[in-house]
């Protein structure tokens, strides 16, 4: 185990297990003479094995250096390789650093007339071999450099080399996740007694084709679930339904007269309805009797009432 007194042995054990699971200890068949001090052994197939104890110590040292920068935006994180671009973007999101993902424009640190000119106080490099241009410009402007170095990585102009596998996407993501967690712990943003609620999977590189395939599968699953919900309801069995109860007096409202056929000629006269004598129907109302007009015509004055003998 590494000699880091402020970290518990249980935490160190979990961190070393994660580094072994992500193949952080596996180097390459080539070995740079400046990286020989970080190699523990060489496998029969020629792969060099990195000493994870020294990797852990250098990772904690780099975190203390990063915390010493007062403005987090003055730390520039660079990765030209696709496997490290997602990792540096997530690292910059949680720590406030400035990411440069993708191609590095030459002259960003030395040419002041460029639009993207910046003067960072510290560089964090994913691969010294791929990101050689920003390292060279940092040497001109006296900017310190922290880099993840594999067994075959050149260490020229690198101030703090963190020995780790910088070829695998899981190893790169884990290194940036552990570095971001340690920086936040030293800033007292999170405590050491509790686990960081950010999963390490968020720092791993994801293939765009794989992401697109997962999105299509999720969309097809949602459509299938929606189709199951919108299915028509099951038809009721008519034989199982109870017979309708007869309504008392319903026969009085049934029209037994046959329906008249519709005439083909629209100009034909309407059929004559049968005349029903009102006297033959008990339910027919009695027509009020008409009053006879007064003698002399409608303009004659109304007759005065004849008062009865004896007064009003």
């Amino acid at each position: 185990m590494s000699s880091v007194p402020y970290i518990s042995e249980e935490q160190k054990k979990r961190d070393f297990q994660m580094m072994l699971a992500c193949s952080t200890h596996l180097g390459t068949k080539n070995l740079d003479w400046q990286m020989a001090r970080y190699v523990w052994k060489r496998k029969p197939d020629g792969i060099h094995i990195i000493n994870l104890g020294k990797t852990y110590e250098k990772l904690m040292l780099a975190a203390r250096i990063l915390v010493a920068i007062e403005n987090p935006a003055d730390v520039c994180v660079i990765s030209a390789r696709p496997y490290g671009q997602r990792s540096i973007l997530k690292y910059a999101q949680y720590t406030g650093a400035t990411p440069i993902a993708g191609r590095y424009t030459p002259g960003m640190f030395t040419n002041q007339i460029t639009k993207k000119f910046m003067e960072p106080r510290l560089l964090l490099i994913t691969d010294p071999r791929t990101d050689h241009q920003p390292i060279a410009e940092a040497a001109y402007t006296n900017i310190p450099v922290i880099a993840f170095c594999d067994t075959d990585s050149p260490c020229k102009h690198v101030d703090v080399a963190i020995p780790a596998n910088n070829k695998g996407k899981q190893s790169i993501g884990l290194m940036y996740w552990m570095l971001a967690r340690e920086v936040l712990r030293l800033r007292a943003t999170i405590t050491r007694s509790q686990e960081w609620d950010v999963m390490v999977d968020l720092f791993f590189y994801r293939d765009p084709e794989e992401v697109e395939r997962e999105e299509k599968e999720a969309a097809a699953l949602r459509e299938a679930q929606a189709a199951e919900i919108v299915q028509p309801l099951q038809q009721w069995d008519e034989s199982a339904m109870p017979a309708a109860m007869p309504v008392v007096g319903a026969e009085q409202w049934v029209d037994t007269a046959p329906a008249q056929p519709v005439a083909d000629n629209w100009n034909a006269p309407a059929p004559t309805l049968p005349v029903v004598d009102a006297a033959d129907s008990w339910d027919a109302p009695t027509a009020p009797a008409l009053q006879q007009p007064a003698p002399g015509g409608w303009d004659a004055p109304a007759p005065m009432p004849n008062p009865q003998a004896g007064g009003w």
Side-chain angles (χ1 to χ4, degrees):
M1 292 292 180
S2 61
S3 57
V4 184
Y6 53 86
I7 299 178
S8 63
E9 294 296 329
E10 185 65 26
Q11 180 64 49
K12 293 179 184 178
K13 183 178 180 180
R14 289 196 298 266
D15 293 343
F16 276 88
Q17 289 177 351
M18 294 176 67
M19 287 191 289
L20 290 173
C22 293
S23 302
T24 307
H25 63 291
L26 297 180
T28 60
K29 292 184 179 182
N30 299 326
L31 178 62
D32 189 85
W33 66 273
Q34 289 181 316
M35 293 296 296
R37 70 186 76 177
Y38 303 114
V39 174
W40 174 65
K41 190 179 291 187
R42 186 176 184 181
K43 296 172 61 176
D45 56 356
I47 301 297
H48 293 85
I49 300 177
I50 299 174
N51 189 343
L52 292 182
K54 295 184 178 180
T55 300
Y56 201 73
E57 292 178 357
K58 280 299 191 74
L59 197 67
M60 300 300 113
L61 173 63
R64 292 196 295 271
I65 295 174
L66 291 168
V67 171
I69 305 298
E70 297 177 358
N71 185 11
D74 289 338
V75 178
C76 187
V77 194
I78 302 175
S79 175
R81 297 180 54 197
Y83 281 3
Q85 293 179 9
R86 181 182 175 90
S87 302
I88 68 170
L89 291 175
K90 290 295 182 180
Y91 175 86
Q93 175 185 351
Y94 292 109
T95 61
T98 303
I100 300 179
R103 181 181 180 275
Y104 172 82
T105 304
M108 291 181 64
F109 300 155
T110 56
N111 191 357
Q112 297 183 2
I113 65 175
T114 57
K115 295 182 179 179
K116 297 182 179 180
F117 176 76
M118 61 176 62
E119 292 179 327
R121 295 188 58 188
L122 182 66
L123 291 188
L124 182 58
I125 304 296
T126 304
D127 187 2
R129 187 177 300 277
T130 307
D131 304 319
H132 61 89
Q133 182 65 28
I135 293 178
E137 294 186 8
Y140 296 147
T141 54
N142 294 328
I143 299 176
V145 176
I146 300 174
F148 293 102
C149 298
D150 210 332
T151 57
D152 61 344
S153 299
C155 297
K156 187 178 181 180
H157 302 309
V158 175
D159 298 287
V160 178
I162 304 175
N165 177 13
N166 59 10
K167 305 288 191 300
K169 54 185 178 181
Q170 286 87 5
S171 177
I172 296 175
L174 177 63
M175 288 291 101
Y176 275 105
W177 180 82
M178 293 179 65
L179 189 60
R181 183 191 63 178
E182 187 62 25
V183 168
L184 294 179
R185 284 178 174 176
L186 292 176
R187 290 178 183 170
T189 305
I190 58 177
T191 59
R192 296 187 182 275
S193 59
Q194 296 179 355
E195 290 291 335
W196 194 21
D197 56 355
V198 177
M199 297 181 61
V200 68
D201 298 358
L202 296 177
F203 286 70
F204 290 167
Y205 168 80
R206 296 189 64 187
D207 189 6
E209 296 181 357
E210 180 182 355
V211 175
E212 184 179 359
R213 183 171 60 254
E214 292 180 358
E215 291 178 355
K216 289 182 179 180
E217 293 177 356
L221 180 60
R222 289 194 297 268
E223 292 178 359
Q225 293 177 353
E228 292 179 358
I229 297 175
V230 183
Q231 280 184 355
L233 297 176
Q234 184 181 3
Q235 298 293 336
W236 290 95
D237 189 3
E238 296 181 356
S239 60
M241 296 179 64
M245 298 297 294
V247 181
V248 179
E251 62 277 0
Q252 297 178 1
W253 303 96
V254 178
D255 189 6
T256 57
Q260 297 293 335
V262 179
D264 296 336
N265 187 6
W266 292 96
N267 296 326
T272 305
L273 297 177
V275 180
V276 181
D277 190 1
D280 297 338
S281 177
W282 293 96
D283 298 334
T286 304
L290 299 177
Q291 296 181 358
Q292 296 296 330
W298 295 98
D299 298 335
M304 295 298 294
N306 187 13
Q308 298 179 4
W312 295 96

